Amino acid sequence: MAGYFQKTTTAGNGVPRMKYSADYPSLQDAMNDLQEGDTMVINADYTLTSTVECTQRNILILGKGTTIKPSTNGSPSPLLRLKNTTSIPTLTNVSINGIRFRNADGVSDGSGTGVALEILDNYPTVSSGFVWHIKIHDVDAANFAKAILLENTFDIVVDNCHLSGNQIGLRCETTATAKTTGQIKVFGGFLNGNQYHISLDGATGTSLDHIELFGVSMGHQRTGAAGDSIGLFLGKDTGGVFVFGSHIEDVATGIYLSANAFVAVISVFGSKFIDIINTGVATIDGSGIGSINLVGNSFAPKSGSSAVFYKAPTVNDGVLIGGNLRSSNDTRPAIGYLEHSPTSGKSVYRVPTYSDSTRPSASTVPAGSIIRNSTSNKLNISDGSN
């Protein structure tokens, strides 16, 4: 590797350069000097009075456990922003690693405001460009209104981050109808003590693409927000939500779909819901799901609560629920518990319900398809034609 990297602040004849932020008058000056292929090592602590912006593509920003914080509570906000510009309308292949964000000195736990890290597509139309293929790795952000904000961006990896004590840990937001935020992949990490650990939302009329969680731990509640915490909040129409091998603990609701929002697919496999206060997976009247799959999960209500595992007034197409275990302190409420897994742990499977007038034609579904007919209150099985 000798000679491949140059530690220099001058042109390197096309050779990628290793730069150090402490060599510059300010962190913004260091970011301004980045060229494609560079690595910036943030090797000093910074207390900021204005937002630092990075507008270069194909770079690595590498922290060394150093801290970035605002001069006062939530100001400036965000602390660090990655965005596109007229000179670089398509911003891609940026990795942000190992940075520690903290709020201003003296801000009490749970009262922080502002945004720590924002990834922003700055243009409202598709033809203007994109911000995509961004990796956020080993970032630690605590005590903000939003720790990480992804706005109008897609193909984002959030890997092994620690987000704690925020109103929202990870916020995925769309603000322009011509844009979307999606293809968000969250690997591992720990979201602890936030009011909303992950939130997908945005302006009226906007929608989001899918989000995937792999081995993510989300738990406990922000100071002052006890009983109001949510693991994954879905506030807008969303293409799909896929949760694999994750751990959701001590929240009011694990996955919550708000009114007037629609999710095409919710699939949760091999995950744990522990000390749940209200519901593991819930939608409310006015919202909708295309299909829901809950397979091989473990559910345990908070001691003394009557929490339910799955509560959804309407599911448009299909429901597959099976192999889900529940703890002995499950109180089996009479209303709203749409799954009762037997104490033996055997599977319970549910089939979609149609009436005589709404059921699909037998010839349009594969032979062997089964539905419940609400008109006759019997199962109907298609042989491919009848």
Side-chain angles (χ1 to χ4, degrees):
M1 296 296 290
Y4 184 73
F5 284 105
Q6 296 182 358
K7 193 273 188 182
T8 177
T9 57
T10 59
N13 298 320
V15 178
R17 298 174 298 168
M18 180 78 77
K19 300 179 178 180
Y20 295 85
S21 65
D23 291 343
Y24 296 83
S26 70
L27 184 56
Q28 185 64 72
D29 288 320
M31 295 296 177
N32 291 344
D33 193 43
L34 283 170
Q35 298 180 21
E36 286 196 57
D38 284 352
T39 294
M40 173 62 69
V41 179
I42 299 178
N43 61 332
D45 294 334
Y46 291 92
T47 298
L48 302 179
T49 57
S50 60
T51 296
V52 170
E53 294 189 333
C54 176
T55 59
Q56 185 57 269
R57 61 192 169 198
N58 300 319
I59 58 169
L60 169 63
I61 300 173
L62 181 63
K64 292 183 60 181
T66 47
T67 299
I68 299 176
K69 62 184 180 181
S71 54
T72 59
N73 185 5
S75 180
S77 177
L79 293 176
L80 177 61
R81 175 187 287 131
L82 178 70
K83 72 171 188 177
N84 51 1
T85 62
T86 53
S87 59
I88 304 180
T90 297
L91 192 67
T92 184
N93 193 28
V94 177
S95 183
I96 300 174
N97 293 5
I99 300 178
R100 183 175 184 263
F101 296 96
R102 287 294 183 271
N103 216 313
D105 294 339
V107 177
S108 60
D109 185 32
S111 64
T113 61
V115 176
L117 172 63
E118 179 184 28
I119 313 296
L120 170 66
D121 184 340
N122 200 40
Y123 295 101
T125 61
V126 173
S127 59
S128 300
F130 304 97
V131 175
W132 65 286
H133 193 44
I134 309 296
K135 184 175 181 181
I136 305 167
H137 178 74
D138 280 349
V139 164
D140 184 339
N143 203 13
F144 294 89
K146 301 170 186 175
I148 298 176
L149 172 60
L150 308 178
E151 192 171 343
N152 305 326
T153 63
F154 63 98
D155 191 17
I156 309 295
V157 171
V158 181
D159 179 28
N160 199 40
C161 292
H162 183 204
L163 312 176
S164 62
N166 307 285
Q167 182 180 348
I168 300 174
L170 173 63
R171 169 79 164 196
C172 306
E173 185 173 294
T174 301
T175 60
T177 55
K179 296 285 187 175
T180 188
T181 296
Q183 300 180 34
I184 310 300
K185 294 167 281 290
V186 185
F187 293 94
F190 187 27
L191 290 83
N192 176 57
N194 307 292
Q195 184 171 354
Y196 299 149
H197 295 294
I198 299 177
S199 171
L200 279 65
D201 214 333
T204 301
T206 60
S207 61
L208 298 101
D209 204 337
H210 67 270
I211 184 170
E212 304 167 11
L213 278 60
F214 302 87
V216 178
S217 291
M218 298 183 284
H220 311 296
Q221 304 168 65
R222 190 187 196 204
T223 300
D228 190 33
S229 61
I230 293 174
L232 177 59
F233 176 84
L234 308 170
K236 292 295 176 183
D237 293 355
T238 304
V241 175
F242 307 92
V243 181
F244 304 92
S246 294
H247 181 104
I248 303 174
E249 179 176 353
D250 187 29
V251 295
T253 301
I255 300 173
Y256 182 89
L257 178 59
S258 67
N260 302 314
F262 177 84
V263 174
V265 181
I266 293 180
S267 295
V268 186
F269 297 96
S271 296
K272 283 186 174 183
F273 295 77
I274 298 176
D275 285 343
I276 303 300
I277 299 170
N278 295 329
T279 314
V281 181
T283 70
I284 62 175
D285 291 324
S287 61
I289 302 174
S291 64
I292 186 167
N293 311 287
L294 307 174
V295 178
N297 303 294
S298 176
F299 178 71
K302 199 172 187 70
S303 180
S305 81
S306 57
V308 299
F309 181 35
Y310 159 57
K311 182 177 182 181
T314 58
V315 177
N316 288 5
D317 296 316
V319 178
L320 173 60
I321 299 179
N324 298 299
L325 303 178
R326 74 177 196 290
S327 69
S328 59
N329 68 336
D330 189 333
T331 57
R332 295 190 179 208
I335 299 174
Y337 202 140
L338 300 187
E339 182 199 14
H340 287 294
S341 295
T343 54
S344 62
K346 294 180 179 179
S347 297
V348 174
Y349 294 95
R350 300 182 62 86
V351 296
T353 296
Y354 296 87
S355 67
D356 272 345
S357 61
T358 62
R359 67 181 180 179
S361 170
S363 61
T364 63
V365 296
S369 298
I370 303 174
I371 67 164
R372 172 182 170 269
N373 189 321
S374 60
T375 304
S376 64
N377 201 27
K378 295 181 179 180
L379 293 179
N380 293 174
I381 304 175
S382 169
D383 64 6
S385 59
N386 298 292

